[in-house]
Amino acid sequence: MGRPLPRASLMWAVLLLLLASWAGRTEAQGSKVLQGHECEAHSQPWQTALFQGERLLCGGVLVGPRWVLSAAHCKKRRYTVRLGDHSLQSKDKPEQDISVAQSIQHPCYNNSNKDDHDHDLMLIRLSKQASLGSKVKPIDLAKQCAKVGQKCTISGWGTVTSPRENFPDTLNCAEVEIISQKKCEEAYPGQVTDGMICAGNSDGADSCQGDSGGPLVCNGVLQGITSWGSDPCGRPKKPGVYTNICRYLNWIKKTMGNKG
């Protein structure tokens, strides 16, 4: 590794890289990833996107009418949060762009060392409440830690090829499973802490650049926030690494409670 990798979309690097090279150009919509796929529209109603102007920065997760969770390394001085989106190029009916009132990184996150991925978590307080419905709604936080082998879903608008970047128009999803902490530590010696959780599968399903801050959802609850992983993404025996939500429940609830 050697550097924090803003994680982001769902991909199986080798096959897609070969296809992109053969085509001689990148394609956004229409790119299909091995074991990854376009999400059913609005099937992940908690998924948000962080934008700086027209530029996609990261993903995020709606956890309350005025609260979004994302990765601490996604913080910028000024940005907006988009909710209810599926196609980035088309205006979706439930789509909402809301400005950020406050970005609250975890107090133990190390801003000065980009090789330190620990405590990579940030709460975003929106300037107003989101308009909630079936296509925009918060997700419940996990009340207990995920179990090894548990099946989960990751989602984002990040690149579907790596190292060559190819960003899709529509939200992509992939199925992964929780990897043991021992295997996670073996994959990334000296870099994995109790505040992290690993997930992947034998086909190389992974998040990648642009997916940072997005959700790891297991049994309908939020277990992780996309944080970092291998470079290029999707390498064998190099699972994605996520901030382990169950380790931060007290901080999340206290911060949201204090700010209202």
Side-chain angles (χ1 to χ4, degrees):
M1 270 300 304
R3 66 182 181 89
L5 180 62
R7 302 291 293 163
S9 209
L10 314 156
M11 44 125 301
W12 290 219
V14 177
L15 177 60
L16 284 175
L17 185 56
L18 288 172
L19 288 173
S21 298
W22 174 78
R25 59 191 176 95
T26 58
E27 295 180 357
Q29 193 166 10
S31 296
K32 298 300 179 185
V33 291
L34 183 62
Q35 302 300 323
H37 52 87
E38 179 182 343
C39 306
E40 180 184 345
H42 308 296
S43 62
Q44 315 297 312
W46 42 79
Q47 176 82 48
T48 73
L50 311 186
F51 277 89
Q52 194 170 45
E54 296 299 315
R55 177 173 169 252
L56 175 69
L57 294 173
C58 286
V61 190
L62 189 67
V63 293
R66 284 189 69 169
W67 290 98
V68 169
L69 270 176
S70 189
H73 76 256
C74 292
K75 183 180 179 181
K76 298 293 181 184
R77 197 163 63 89
R78 295 186 68 180
Y79 59 99
T80 58
V81 177
R82 182 176 296 174
L83 306 91
D85 206 358
H86 180 66
S87 166
L88 297 179
Q89 296 178 17
S90 303
K91 180 78 172 179
D92 293 283
K93 189 174 182 180
E95 190 176 308
Q96 305 167 48
D97 289 308
I98 303 178
S99 60
V100 173
Q102 191 175 13
S103 303
I104 309 167
Q105 292 174 314
H106 191 275
C108 295
Y109 178 71
N110 187 353
N111 268 303
S112 62
N113 183 1
K114 297 304 180 183
D115 288 333
D116 185 352
H117 317 293
D118 210 6
H119 312 295
D120 190 12
L121 192 63
M122 173 173 67
L123 268 167
I124 299 168
R125 187 165 65 91
L126 303 176
S127 61
K128 65 178 183 180
Q129 287 196 7
S131 178
L132 303 181
S134 62
K135 297 177 180 178
V136 176
K137 63 180 180 181
I139 189 172
D140 291 332
L141 303 176
K143 294 180 180 178
Q144 55 187 1
C145 296
K147 293 179 170 54
V148 175
Q150 192 168 356
K151 306 295 183 184
C152 307
T153 300
I154 52 177
S155 55
W157 287 277
T159 180
V160 293
T161 60
S162 178
R164 183 176 180 176
E165 293 184 346
N166 177 14
F167 292 91
D169 171 46
T170 54
L171 186 66
N172 271 242
C173 290
E175 311 311 313
V176 293
E177 63 180 50
I178 301 299
I179 307 297
S180 72
Q181 203 73 356
K182 181 181 177 182
K183 287 185 178 179
C184 190
E185 291 169 0
E186 288 172 353
Y188 305 107
Q191 295 178 282
V192 177
T193 70
D194 287 343
M196 303 173 189
I197 188 171
C198 279
N201 71 19
S202 58
D203 294 315
D206 201 2
S207 50
C208 198
Q209 282 83 357
D211 288 330
S212 291
L216 172 74
V217 177
C218 313
N219 292 338
V221 298
L222 184 66
Q223 287 284 4
I225 292 291
T226 306
S227 179
W228 62 282
S230 65
D231 185 8
C233 315
R235 290 174 57 192
K237 299 183 180 179
K238 292 284 186 178
V241 188
Y242 303 80
T243 303
N244 195 0
I245 289 298
C246 71
R247 303 293 187 188
Y248 295 96
L249 288 175
N250 289 340
W251 176 76
I252 294 169
K253 292 177 180 178
K254 182 179 179 180
T255 303
M256 290 171 64
N258 289 344
K259 298 292 180 179

PDB file of all heavy atoms in Angstrom, residues 108-137:
ATOM      1  N   CYS A 108      -9.743  11.449  16.658  1.00  0.00           N
ATOM      2  CA  CYS A 108      -8.469  10.737  16.622  1.00  0.00           C
ATOM      3  C   CYS A 108      -7.917  10.563  15.204  1.00  0.00           C
ATOM      4  O   CYS A 108      -6.840   9.993  15.022  1.00  0.00           O
ATOM      5  CB  CYS A 108      -8.602   9.368  17.285  1.00  0.00           C
ATOM      6  SG  CYS A 108      -8.979   9.454  19.049  1.00  0.00           S
ATOM      7  N   TYR A 109      -8.650  11.035  14.200  1.00  0.00           N
ATOM      8  CA  TYR A 109      -8.153  10.927  12.822  1.00  0.00           C
ATOM      9  C   TYR A 109      -6.950  11.839  12.633  1.00  0.00           C
ATOM     10  O   TYR A 109      -6.945  12.994  13.062  1.00  0.00           O
ATOM     11  CB  TYR A 109      -9.251  11.296  11.825  1.00  0.00           C
ATOM     12  CG  TYR A 109      -8.794  11.261  10.385  1.00  0.00           C
ATOM     13  CD1 TYR A 109      -8.516  10.052   9.752  1.00  0.00           C
ATOM     14  CD2 TYR A 109      -8.610  12.440   9.664  1.00  0.00           C
ATOM     15  CE1 TYR A 109      -8.075  10.014   8.438  1.00  0.00           C
ATOM     16  CE2 TYR A 109      -8.181  12.410   8.340  1.00  0.00           C
ATOM     17  CZ  TYR A 109      -7.907  11.193   7.741  1.00  0.00           C
ATOM     18  OH  TYR A 109      -7.466  11.153   6.440  1.00  0.00           O
ATOM     19  N   ASN A 110      -5.913  11.315  11.968  1.00  0.00           N
ATOM     20  CA  ASN A 110      -4.656  12.036  11.773  1.00  0.00           C
ATOM     21  C   ASN A 110      -4.642  12.701  10.398  1.00  0.00           C
ATOM     22  O   ASN A 110      -4.323  12.076   9.400  1.00  0.00           O
ATOM     23  CB  ASN A 110      -3.474  11.072  11.926  1.00  0.00           C
ATOM     24  CG  ASN A 110      -2.130  11.777  11.911  1.00  0.00           C
ATOM     25  OD1 ASN A 110      -2.050  12.981  11.654  1.00  0.00           O
ATOM     26  ND2 ASN A 110      -1.076  11.033  12.201  1.00  0.00           N
ATOM     27  N   ASN A 111      -4.974  13.976  10.356  1.00  0.00           N
ATOM     28  CA  ASN A 111      -4.988  14.716   9.098  1.00  0.00           C
ATOM     29  C   ASN A 111      -3.612  14.912   8.489  1.00  0.00           C
ATOM     30  O   ASN A 111      -3.472  15.074   7.278  1.00  0.00           O
ATOM     31  CB  ASN A 111      -5.625  16.092   9.308  1.00  0.00           C
ATOM     32  CG  ASN A 111      -7.113  16.091   9.028  1.00  0.00           C
ATOM     33  OD1 ASN A 111      -7.555  15.734   7.943  1.00  0.00           O
ATOM     34  ND2 ASN A 111      -7.902  16.472  10.030  1.00  0.00           N
ATOM     35  N   SER A 112      -2.597  14.908   9.331  1.00  0.00           N
ATOM     36  CA  SER A 112      -1.247  15.247   8.867  1.00  0.00           C
ATOM     37  C   SER A 112      -0.506  14.076   8.238  1.00  0.00           C
ATOM     38  O   SER A 112       0.518  14.270   7.579  1.00  0.00           O
ATOM     39  CB  SER A 112      -0.414  15.804  10.027  1.00  0.00           C
ATOM     40  OG  SER A 112      -0.275  14.824  11.049  1.00  0.00           O
ATOM     41  N   ASN A 113      -1.011  12.844   8.426  1.00  0.00           N
ATOM     42  CA  ASN A 113      -0.330  11.659   7.895  1.00  0.00           C
ATOM     43  C   ASN A 113      -1.290  10.874   7.011  1.00  0.00           C
ATOM     44  O   ASN A 113      -2.142  10.146   7.504  1.00  0.00           O
ATOM     45  CB  ASN A 113       0.188  10.781   9.030  1.00  0.00           C
ATOM     46  CG  ASN A 113       0.964   9.573   8.531  1.00  0.00           C
ATOM     47  OD1 ASN A 113       1.143   9.377   7.326  1.00  0.00           O
ATOM     48  ND2 ASN A 113       1.427   8.740   9.455  1.00  0.00           N
ATOM     49  N   LYS A 114      -1.154  11.029   5.697  1.00  0.00           N
ATOM     50  CA  LYS A 114      -2.066  10.372   4.767  1.00  0.00           C
ATOM     51  C   LYS A 114      -1.830   8.866   4.660  1.00  0.00           C
ATOM     52  O   LYS A 114      -2.591   8.156   4.006  1.00  0.00           O
ATOM     53  CB  LYS A 114      -1.942  11.010   3.374  1.00  0.00           C
ATOM     54  CG  LYS A 114      -2.351  12.484   3.348  1.00  0.00           C
ATOM     55  CD  LYS A 114      -3.761  12.677   3.876  1.00  0.00           C
ATOM     56  CE  LYS A 114      -4.185  14.129   3.863  1.00  0.00           C
ATOM     57  NZ  LYS A 114      -5.535  14.323   4.447  1.00  0.00           N
ATOM     58  N   ASP A 115      -0.766   8.362   5.296  1.00  0.00           N
ATOM     59  CA  ASP A 115      -0.537   6.916   5.338  1.00  0.00           C
ATOM     60  C   ASP A 115      -1.225   6.268   6.540  1.00  0.00           C
ATOM     61  O   ASP A 115      -1.200   5.055   6.689  1.00  0.00           O
ATOM     62  CB  ASP A 115       0.963   6.616   5.383  1.00  0.00           C
ATOM     63  CG  ASP A 115       1.648   6.889   4.053  1.00  0.00           C
ATOM     64  OD1 ASP A 115       0.958   6.813   3.014  1.00  0.00           O
ATOM     65  OD2 ASP A 115       2.855   7.182   4.047  1.00  0.00           O
ATOM     66  N   ASP A 116      -1.789   7.084   7.391  1.00  0.00           N
ATOM     67  CA  ASP A 116      -2.478   6.593   8.588  1.00  0.00           C
ATOM     68  C   ASP A 116      -3.979   6.580   8.300  1.00  0.00           C
ATOM     69  O   ASP A 116      -4.611   7.625   8.182  1.00  0.00           O
ATOM     70  CB  ASP A 116      -2.160   7.506   9.773  1.00  0.00           C
ATOM     71  CG  ASP A 116      -2.741   6.984  11.081  1.00  0.00           C
ATOM     72  OD1 ASP A 116      -3.514   5.998  11.048  1.00  0.00           O
ATOM     73  OD2 ASP A 116      -2.443   7.572  12.138  1.00  0.00           O
ATOM     74  N   HIS A 117      -4.551   5.364   8.175  1.00  0.00           N
ATOM     75  CA  HIS A 117      -5.965   5.239   7.814  1.00  0.00           C
ATOM     76  C   HIS A 117      -6.877   5.083   9.027  1.00  0.00           C
ATOM     77  O   HIS A 117      -8.085   4.901   8.870  1.00  0.00           O
ATOM     78  CB  HIS A 117      -6.172   4.007   6.914  1.00  0.00           C
ATOM     79  CG  HIS A 117      -5.130   3.842   5.853  1.00  0.00           C
ATOM     80  ND1 HIS A 117      -4.979   4.715   4.812  1.00  0.00           N
ATOM     81  CD2 HIS A 117      -4.183   2.878   5.678  1.00  0.00           C
ATOM     82  CE1 HIS A 117      -3.997   4.315   4.025  1.00  0.00           C
ATOM     83  NE2 HIS A 117      -3.499   3.212   4.530  1.00  0.00           N
ATOM     84  N   ASP A 118      -6.322   5.120  10.230  1.00  0.00           N
ATOM     85  CA  ASP A 118      -7.107   4.825  11.419  1.00  0.00           C
ATOM     86  C   ASP A 118      -8.135   5.933  11.695  1.00  0.00           C
ATOM     87  O   ASP A 118      -7.887   7.113  11.431  1.00  0.00           O
ATOM     88  CB  ASP A 118      -6.181   4.670  12.630  1.00  0.00           C
ATOM     89  CG  ASP A 118      -6.741   3.705  13.665  1.00  0.00           C
ATOM     90  OD1 ASP A 118      -7.793   3.085  13.385  1.00  0.00           O
ATOM     91  OD2 ASP A 118      -6.133   3.567  14.737  1.00  0.00           O
ATOM     92  N   HIS A 119      -9.289   5.533  12.205  1.00  0.00           N
ATOM     93  CA  HIS A 119     -10.370   6.458  12.582  1.00  0.00           C
ATOM     94  C   HIS A 119     -10.842   7.287  11.380  1.00  0.00           C
ATOM     95  O   HIS A 119     -11.167   8.476  11.519  1.00  0.00           O
ATOM     96  CB  HIS A 119      -9.930   7.380  13.720  1.00  0.00           C
ATOM     97  CG  HIS A 119      -9.276   6.671  14.869  1.00  0.00           C
ATOM     98  ND1 HIS A 119      -9.952   5.763  15.663  1.00  0.00           N
ATOM     99  CD2 HIS A 119      -7.992   6.720  15.331  1.00  0.00           C
ATOM    100  CE1 HIS A 119      -9.127   5.302  16.592  1.00  0.00           C
ATOM    101  NE2 HIS A 119      -7.946   5.853  16.401  1.00  0.00           N
ATOM    102  N   ASP A 120     -10.891   6.657  10.216  1.00  0.00           N
ATOM    103  CA  ASP A 120     -11.257   7.358   8.978  1.00  0.00           C
ATOM    104  C   ASP A 120     -12.780   7.497   8.898  1.00  0.00           C
ATOM    105  O   ASP A 120     -13.457   6.801   8.142  1.00  0.00           O
ATOM    106  CB  ASP A 120     -10.712   6.590   7.766  1.00  0.00           C
ATOM    107  CG  ASP A 120     -10.834   7.369   6.473  1.00  0.00           C
ATOM    108  OD1 ASP A 120     -11.130   8.578   6.531  1.00  0.00           O
ATOM    109  OD2 ASP A 120     -10.629   6.766   5.403  1.00  0.00           O
ATOM    110  N   LEU A 121     -13.304   8.414   9.687  1.00  0.00           N
ATOM    111  CA  LEU A 121     -14.754   8.560   9.820  1.00  0.00           C
ATOM    112  C   LEU A 121     -15.107  10.035  10.021  1.00  0.00           C
ATOM    113  O   LEU A 121     -14.406  10.763  10.732  1.00  0.00           O
ATOM    114  CB  LEU A 121     -15.259   7.743  11.014  1.00  0.00           C
ATOM    115  CG  LEU A 121     -16.771   7.545  11.138  1.00  0.00           C
ATOM    116  CD1 LEU A 121     -17.322   6.754   9.967  1.00  0.00           C
ATOM    117  CD2 LEU A 121     -17.103   6.838  12.451  1.00  0.00           C
ATOM    118  N   MET A 122     -16.175  10.460   9.399  1.00  0.00           N
ATOM    119  CA  MET A 122     -16.611  11.855   9.484  1.00  0.00           C
ATOM    120  C   MET A 122     -18.134  11.930   9.487  1.00  0.00           C
ATOM    121  O   MET A 122     -18.800  11.253   8.706  1.00  0.00           O
ATOM    122  CB  MET A 122     -16.045  12.636   8.286  1.00  0.00           C
ATOM    123  CG  MET A 122     -16.555  14.055   8.147  1.00  0.00           C
ATOM    124  SD  MET A 122     -15.705  14.995   6.845  1.00  0.00           S
ATOM    125  CE  MET A 122     -16.265  14.120   5.364  1.00  0.00           C
ATOM    126  N   LEU A 123     -18.667  12.749  10.355  1.00  0.00           N
ATOM    127  CA  LEU A 123     -20.094  13.065  10.364  1.00  0.00           C
ATOM    128  C   LEU A 123     -20.301  14.410   9.675  1.00  0.00           C
ATOM    129  O   LEU A 123     -19.566  15.371   9.946  1.00  0.00           O
ATOM    130  CB  LEU A 123     -20.628  13.128  11.791  1.00  0.00           C
ATOM    131  CG  LEU A 123     -21.204  11.826  12.351  1.00  0.00           C
ATOM    132  CD1 LEU A 123     -21.409  11.940  13.848  1.00  0.00           C
ATOM    133  CD2 LEU A 123     -22.523  11.460  11.675  1.00  0.00           C
ATOM    134  N   ILE A 124     -21.270  14.471   8.782  1.00  0.00           N
ATOM    135  CA  ILE A 124     -21.611  15.693   8.066  1.00  0.00           C
ATOM    136  C   ILE A 124     -23.002  16.130   8.506  1.00  0.00           C
ATOM    137  O   ILE A 124     -23.967  15.363   8.404  1.00  0.00           O
ATOM    138  CB  ILE A 124     -21.609  15.457   6.547  1.00  0.00           C
ATOM    139  CG1 ILE A 124     -20.217  15.020   6.073  1.00  0.00           C
ATOM    140  CG2 ILE A 124     -22.073  16.709   5.807  1.00  0.00           C
ATOM    141  CD1 ILE A 124     -20.206  14.488   4.642  1.00  0.00           C
ATOM    142  N   ARG A 125     -23.088  17.353   9.025  1.00  0.00           N
ATOM    143  CA  ARG A 125     -24.397  17.904   9.386  1.00  0.00           C
ATOM    144  C   ARG A 125     -24.883  18.768   8.233  1.00  0.00           C
ATOM    145  O   ARG A 125     -24.210  19.710   7.808  1.00  0.00           O
ATOM    146  CB  ARG A 125     -24.314  18.725  10.677  1.00  0.00           C
ATOM    147  CG  ARG A 125     -25.673  19.180  11.198  1.00  0.00           C
ATOM    148  CD  ARG A 125     -25.578  19.651  12.648  1.00  0.00           C
ATOM    149  NE  ARG A 125     -24.748  20.832  12.765  1.00  0.00           N
ATOM    150  CZ  ARG A 125     -25.184  22.095  12.701  1.00  0.00           C
ATOM    151  NH1 ARG A 125     -26.489  22.319  12.502  1.00  0.00           N
ATOM    152  NH2 ARG A 125     -24.359  23.104  12.825  1.00  0.00           N
ATOM    153  N   LEU A 126     -26.039  18.413   7.702  1.00  0.00           N
ATOM    154  CA  LEU A 126     -26.593  19.132   6.564  1.00  0.00           C
ATOM    155  C   LEU A 126     -27.191  20.471   7.006  1.00  0.00           C
ATOM    156  O   LEU A 126     -27.609  20.628   8.154  1.00  0.00           O
ATOM    157  CB  LEU A 126     -27.667  18.284   5.882  1.00  0.00           C
ATOM    158  CG  LEU A 126     -27.222  16.890   5.388  1.00  0.00           C
ATOM    159  CD1 LEU A 126     -28.411  16.127   4.828  1.00  0.00           C
ATOM    160  CD2 LEU A 126     -26.123  17.010   4.351  1.00  0.00           C
ATOM    161  N   SER A 127     -27.247  21.420   6.076  1.00  0.00           N
ATOM    162  CA  SER A 127     -27.771  22.749   6.393  1.00  0.00           C
ATOM    163  C   SER A 127     -29.278  22.739   6.615  1.00  0.00           C
ATOM    164  O   SER A 127     -29.831  23.653   7.223  1.00  0.00           O
ATOM    165  CB  SER A 127     -27.420  23.731   5.275  1.00  0.00           C
ATOM    166  OG  SER A 127     -28.004  23.316   4.047  1.00  0.00           O
ATOM    167  N   LYS A 128     -29.945  21.688   6.135  1.00  0.00           N
ATOM    168  CA  LYS A 128     -31.387  21.525   6.366  1.00  0.00           C
ATOM    169  C   LYS A 128     -31.714  20.049   6.323  1.00  0.00           C
ATOM    170  O   LYS A 128     -30.918  19.228   5.848  1.00  0.00           O
ATOM    171  CB  LYS A 128     -32.195  22.279   5.318  1.00  0.00           C
ATOM    172  CG  LYS A 128     -32.021  21.751   3.902  1.00  0.00           C
ATOM    173  CD  LYS A 128     -32.899  22.506   2.904  1.00  0.00           C
ATOM    174  CE  LYS A 128     -32.772  21.928   1.499  1.00  0.00           C
ATOM    175  NZ  LYS A 128     -33.633  22.653   0.531  1.00  0.00           N
ATOM    176  N   GLN A 129     -32.873  19.686   6.797  1.00  0.00           N
ATOM    177  CA  GLN A 129     -33.291  18.291   6.788  1.00  0.00           C
ATOM    178  C   GLN A 129     -33.570  17.832   5.364  1.00  0.00           C
ATOM    179  O   GLN A 129     -34.103  18.587   4.540  1.00  0.00           O
ATOM    180  CB  GLN A 129     -34.544  18.090   7.638  1.00  0.00           C
ATOM    181  CG  GLN A 129     -34.290  18.166   9.133  1.00  0.00           C
ATOM    182  CD  GLN A 129     -35.435  17.581   9.940  1.00  0.00           C
ATOM    183  OE1 GLN A 129     -36.361  17.005   9.391  1.00  0.00           O
ATOM    184  NE2 GLN A 129     -35.369  17.714  11.250  1.00  0.00           N
ATOM    185  N   ALA A 130     -33.183  16.576   5.087  1.00  0.00           N
ATOM    186  CA  ALA A 130     -33.501  15.974   3.796  1.00  0.00           C
ATOM    187  C   ALA A 130     -34.999  15.682   3.727  1.00  0.00           C
ATOM    188  O   ALA A 130     -35.651  15.430   4.752  1.00  0.00           O
ATOM    189  CB  ALA A 130     -32.713  14.681   3.619  1.00  0.00           C
ATOM    190  N   SER A 131     -35.535  15.733   2.516  1.00  0.00           N
ATOM    191  CA  SER A 131     -36.927  15.331   2.288  1.00  0.00           C
ATOM    192  C   SER A 131     -36.948  13.815   2.141  1.00  0.00           C
ATOM    193  O   SER A 131     -36.449  13.271   1.151  1.00  0.00           O
ATOM    194  CB  SER A 131     -37.470  16.016   1.036  1.00  0.00           C
ATOM    195  OG  SER A 131     -38.790  15.601   0.778  1.00  0.00           O
ATOM    196  N   LEU A 132     -37.498  13.118   3.133  1.00  0.00           N
ATOM    197  CA  LEU A 132     -37.417  11.665   3.191  1.00  0.00           C
ATOM    198  C   LEU A 132     -38.587  10.995   2.491  1.00  0.00           C
ATOM    199  O   LEU A 132     -39.667  11.560   2.360  1.00  0.00           O
ATOM    200  CB  LEU A 132     -37.341  11.199   4.649  1.00  0.00           C
ATOM    201  CG  LEU A 132     -36.195  11.762   5.489  1.00  0.00           C
ATOM    202  CD1 LEU A 132     -36.232  11.187   6.903  1.00  0.00           C
ATOM    203  CD2 LEU A 132     -34.841  11.480   4.838  1.00  0.00           C
ATOM    204  N   GLY A 133     -38.359   9.775   2.028  1.00  0.00           N
ATOM    205  CA  GLY A 133     -39.376   8.958   1.369  1.00  0.00           C
ATOM    206  C   GLY A 133     -38.775   7.611   1.050  1.00  0.00           C
ATOM    207  O   GLY A 133     -37.710   7.251   1.560  1.00  0.00           O
ATOM    208  N   SER A 134     -39.400   6.850   0.179  1.00  0.00           N
ATOM    209  CA  SER A 134     -38.915   5.501  -0.134  1.00  0.00           C
ATOM    210  C   SER A 134     -37.573   5.519  -0.861  1.00  0.00           C
ATOM    211  O   SER A 134     -36.828   4.548  -0.805  1.00  0.00           O
ATOM    212  CB  SER A 134     -39.953   4.760  -0.980  1.00  0.00           C
ATOM    213  OG  SER A 134     -40.156   5.432  -2.220  1.00  0.00           O
ATOM    214  N   LYS A 135     -37.258   6.631  -1.536  1.00  0.00           N
ATOM    215  CA  LYS A 135     -36.028   6.710  -2.324  1.00  0.00           C
ATOM    216  C   LYS A 135     -34.923   7.522  -1.648  1.00  0.00           C
ATOM    217  O   LYS A 135     -33.807   7.586  -2.156  1.00  0.00           O
ATOM    218  CB  LYS A 135     -36.337   7.278  -3.715  1.00  0.00           C
ATOM    219  CG  LYS A 135     -37.270   6.373  -4.510  1.00  0.00           C
ATOM    220  CD  LYS A 135     -37.630   6.965  -5.857  1.00  0.00           C
ATOM    221  CE  LYS A 135     -38.563   6.035  -6.628  1.00  0.00           C
ATOM    222  NZ  LYS A 135     -38.955   6.617  -7.935  1.00  0.00           N
ATOM    223  N   VAL A 136     -35.264   8.142  -0.550  1.00  0.00           N
ATOM    224  CA  VAL A 136     -34.273   8.860   0.265  1.00  0.00           C
ATOM    225  C   VAL A 136     -34.603   8.582   1.721  1.00  0.00           C
ATOM    226  O   VAL A 136     -35.578   9.123   2.259  1.00  0.00           O
ATOM    227  CB  VAL A 136     -34.301  10.385   0.004  1.00  0.00           C
ATOM    228  CG1 VAL A 136     -33.326  11.099   0.940  1.00  0.00           C
ATOM    229  CG2 VAL A 136     -33.971  10.696  -1.444  1.00  0.00           C
ATOM    230  N   LYS A 137     -33.844   7.720   2.360  1.00  0.00           N
ATOM    231  CA  LYS A 137     -34.114   7.428   3.769  1.00  0.00           C
ATOM    232  C   LYS A 137     -32.844   6.952   4.465  1.00  0.00           C
ATOM    233  O   LYS A 137     -31.968   6.331   3.841  1.00  0.00           O
ATOM    234  CB  LYS A 137     -35.226   6.389   3.914  1.00  0.00           C
ATOM    235  CG  LYS A 137     -34.938   5.022   3.350  1.00  0.00           C
ATOM    236  CD  LYS A 137     -36.155   4.099   3.565  1.00  0.00           C
ATOM    237  CE  LYS A 137     -35.903   2.712   3.003  1.00  0.00           C
ATOM    238  NZ  LYS A 137     -37.081   1.831   3.190  1.00  0.00           N
TER     239      LYS A 137
END
